[in-house]
Amino acid sequence: MAERIATVAQTLQGPEGLMLVRLEFESSGGCGRCHETGGCGGVSLAQPLCSTPKSMVVSDPIGLSVGNQVRVSIPDAMLSRGITRAYVIPLLLFFMGSLVGATLLPDLLPKPWQVTSDVGAMLGAGIGLIAAWLQLRFSQRQTPMVSPRILERL
């Protein structure tokens, strides 16, 4: 199980009296070797893009209040399923679209619309990205990814 520490930012009333909380997760600072010799300093490049805390709404089984810190977890199987849906499948669709576009579009389009294989690859990659977005959207509707589960109050 992947575990993280979060802070309760807000309590909410859900449907049918279900209590919910908005948890804020601090963005991790990478490996922590930025200022050491051999550290890459990559986190300083990403800091402007990731400076705001990430938040998520989850059910509250233990009666939390604003400011409480909690340990939350998500099963490894669900984590790997989410990675596959969000990264692996879109990347494969992007490259497959590019490959198909580069090989088929120059031959399939009529003479006035003839394109080179490079343009075909770009068009195919765009179609692959649209297919990836649709795949992610529909798979999320059919089987939503699991939200973190609160383990304990710290």
Side-chain angles (χ1 to χ4, degrees):
M1 289 229 183
E3 295 183 2
R4 296 263 324 254
I5 305 295
T7 305
V8 177
Q10 182 182 14
T11 57
L12 306 163
Q13 185 72 32
E16 301 173 9
L18 179 68
M19 292 303 297
L20 303 170
V21 290
R22 179 177 304 279
L23 299 177
E24 285 190 352
F25 298 88
E26 290 296 321
S27 57
S28 63
C31 69
R33 296 186 57 207
C34 288
H35 303 295
E36 296 177 15
T37 55
C40 72
V43 75
S44 61
L45 295 174
Q47 199 64 18
L49 302 172
C50 304
S51 60
T52 59
K54 308 299 180 240
S55 67
M56 180 177 282
V57 175
V58 298
S59 63
D60 177 12
I62 58 176
L64 297 166
S65 58
V66 175
N68 288 142
Q69 283 202 327
V70 293
R71 182 182 317 277
V72 295
S73 73
I74 188 165
D76 290 335
M78 294 299 150
L79 192 60
S80 63
R81 184 183 303 166
I83 289 169
T84 302
R85 279 189 200 171
Y87 296 105
V88 176
I89 293 174
L91 194 59
L92 288 174
L93 288 171
F94 172 78
F95 284 121
M96 285 174 32
S98 179
L99 182 65
V100 168
T103 55
L104 292 182
L105 279 180
D107 297 332
L108 290 179
L109 292 176
K111 283 282 184 208
W113 293 9
Q114 278 283 297
V115 295
T116 65
S117 62
D118 292 341
V119 174
M122 288 188 290
L123 290 172
I127 292 169
L129 286 177
I130 292 169
W133 178 75
L134 290 171
Q135 170 275 139
L136 186 61
R137 191 166 172 96
F138 288 126
S139 70
Q140 179 68 12
R141 284 186 184 163
Q142 290 174 352
T143 311
M145 291 185 208
V146 173
S147 64
R149 189 178 57 132
I150 297 173
L151 294 177
E152 65 180 337
R153 182 186 333 216
L154 301 177

